[in-house]
Amino acid sequence: MVRDAVEDARPSLPLPMRSLAVVECSFGSAHPQFGPILAGSRSHRHVKEHGHDGLEVQLDIGLKYSTDANIKLQLGVMPFGISHIEVNGVLSLRFTPLLDEMPVFSAMQLFFLTPPQVSIRFSDMLEVANTPFIMQQIRAAIDHAIHDRLVLPNALGINWADPGNDETVTWPTVLPSYVVRVSVHRASDLCSSSTMRTRGPDAYAVVSVGGRRVRTRTVSGKSLTWAESFDFVIYDTRQHFQVEVFDVDFAGKSWPIGKTKESQVEHAAAGSSSGQWWALEGAPAGAAGHRPPRR
């Protein structure tokens, strides 16, 4: 399949790259690990409006895949390849619409609620790309490509019996369900990322909901106040919510202090309306306080 993909893409490549060829392609002996699996159903108003009963079933499946690959490509006299691939995330399968007759499941959508973590390692002439700075840029490009295709609101639709859709494969956009407001209020007992500094950190917080990330301004102190609010469009209440706190050093580089445990939006929104404290994992001490998302 990889060889065929390269062959098909060759005519569209720039002229210097049209000699690209696949020399070897093996994904090793490792197999993807699936689990845990969470199942749920709900009635969806948009489905009802299109003549179906409005019920849809969704499976959220943990995905872990780590393999020592042997993918070798040749461009002219230059060999390069990929020696390791790792993917971690939660893959969702949504079956919609449901029919009143066999086969019941007529189509499904595949997507990630939150961008998966993807890691690759290069070999041969591309080993230089394994350096932290270059790899950071490559990971950002991979994350962007996956987000634009398979992270909500983007999805892959596969249809085999939906009477209202003649196309087998589509790239639908999922409609939003809610808008939530997250207020990041304050943090206490923060420690600097550097043992050389005795004063409090110059800290900012990054709030992640689904595939979107926003950051607060930078404030100094061990106990500090941001008091900033952000609005997020929610496509599924099972999307993940997390807050990360970073310290900025003298050179302007950001270092992680800690992060809250990942939580689904629906669980985070169930907190007190006056706000709640969340412990920072990976930090010697410290907690971030925020007001829970409001629909």
Side-chain angles (χ1 to χ4, degrees):
M1 185 173 66
V2 174
R3 293 178 189 272
D4 292 341
V6 171
E7 290 292 332
D8 293 342
R10 186 177 293 161
S12 61
L13 295 175
L15 188 60
M17 297 186 64
R18 290 182 184 174
S19 62
L20 181 66
V22 178
V23 179
E24 294 181 55
C25 184
S26 170
F27 289 92
S29 58
H31 300 283
Q33 299 179 10
F34 297 101
I37 300 176
L38 302 178
S41 63
R42 67 174 180 172
S43 180
H44 199 288
R45 178 171 56 86
H46 178 69
V47 179
K48 284 184 178 180
E49 292 172 351
H50 285 72
H52 303 294
D53 63 5
L55 183 65
E56 56 186 30
V57 175
Q58 181 168 320
L59 300 178
D60 296 326
I61 306 170
L63 169 63
K64 293 183 178 180
Y65 182 56
S66 179
T67 184
D68 291 327
N70 183 27
I71 302 174
K72 302 286 187 181
L73 298 99
Q74 187 99 13
L75 183 62
V77 296
M78 295 188 301
F80 60 94
I82 297 175
S83 59
H84 187 79
I85 302 173
E86 189 169 341
V87 181
N88 289 284
V90 177
L91 178 65
S92 296
L93 308 181
R94 178 180 293 172
F95 298 92
T96 180
L98 303 185
L99 304 179
D100 295 329
E101 57 189 21
M102 295 298 292
V104 182
F105 297 114
S106 62
M108 71 175 178
Q109 297 173 349
L110 288 83
F111 53 83
F112 289 96
L113 294 169
T114 301
Q117 298 178 351
V118 179
S119 176
I120 60 176
R121 178 163 289 276
F122 295 100
S123 60
D124 299 320
M125 297 293 290
L126 284 182
E127 280 196 46
V128 65
N130 294 324
T131 57
F133 176 76
I134 298 178
M135 185 56 67
Q136 183 179 8
Q137 309 305 313
I138 293 173
R139 285 177 177 169
I142 293 174
D143 290 345
H144 180 74
I146 295 175
H147 182 276
D148 284 352
R149 280 294 191 179
L150 286 174
V151 178
L152 284 182
N154 307 301
L156 168 62
I158 301 176
N159 166 49
W160 57 87
D162 183 1
N165 186 359
D166 295 330
E167 297 194 31
T168 303
V169 177
T170 58
W171 296 94
T173 299
V174 177
L175 293 176
S177 300
Y178 306 97
V179 174
V180 300
R181 174 165 294 176
V182 179
S183 298
V184 185
H185 188 58
R186 58 178 303 207
S188 67
D189 301 326
L190 294 181
C191 295
S192 173
S193 59
S194 172
T195 56
M196 302 294 293
R197 296 165 59 180
T198 57
R199 63 179 179 84
D202 297 322
Y204 66 87
V206 174
V207 184
S208 303
V209 177
R212 185 181 172 217
R213 292 165 58 90
V214 296
R215 62 166 286 179
T216 66
R217 67 186 188 280
T218 301
V219 180
S220 301
K222 293 184 177 181
S223 295
L224 48 86
T225 300
W226 291 294
E228 294 187 51
S229 298
F230 306 96
D231 293 332
F232 294 88
V233 176
I234 303 300
Y235 301 93
D236 190 304
T237 56
R238 289 162 288 200
Q239 286 183 277
H240 289 178
F241 161 84
Q242 188 174 53
V243 178
E244 301 168 271
V245 180
F246 295 87
D247 182 20
V248 182
D249 64 14
F250 296 109
K253 186 175 180 179
S254 296
W255 299 89
I257 295 177
K259 59 185 177 182
T260 64
K261 185 177 180 179
E262 270 194 348
S263 174
Q264 292 182 347
V265 171
E266 60 184 351
H267 296 157
S272 169
S273 60
S274 61
Q276 58 184 304
W277 286 98
W278 290 65
L280 291 178
E281 297 181 342
H290 80 92
R291 299 187 186 277
R294 295 184 179 180
R295 297 177 186 176

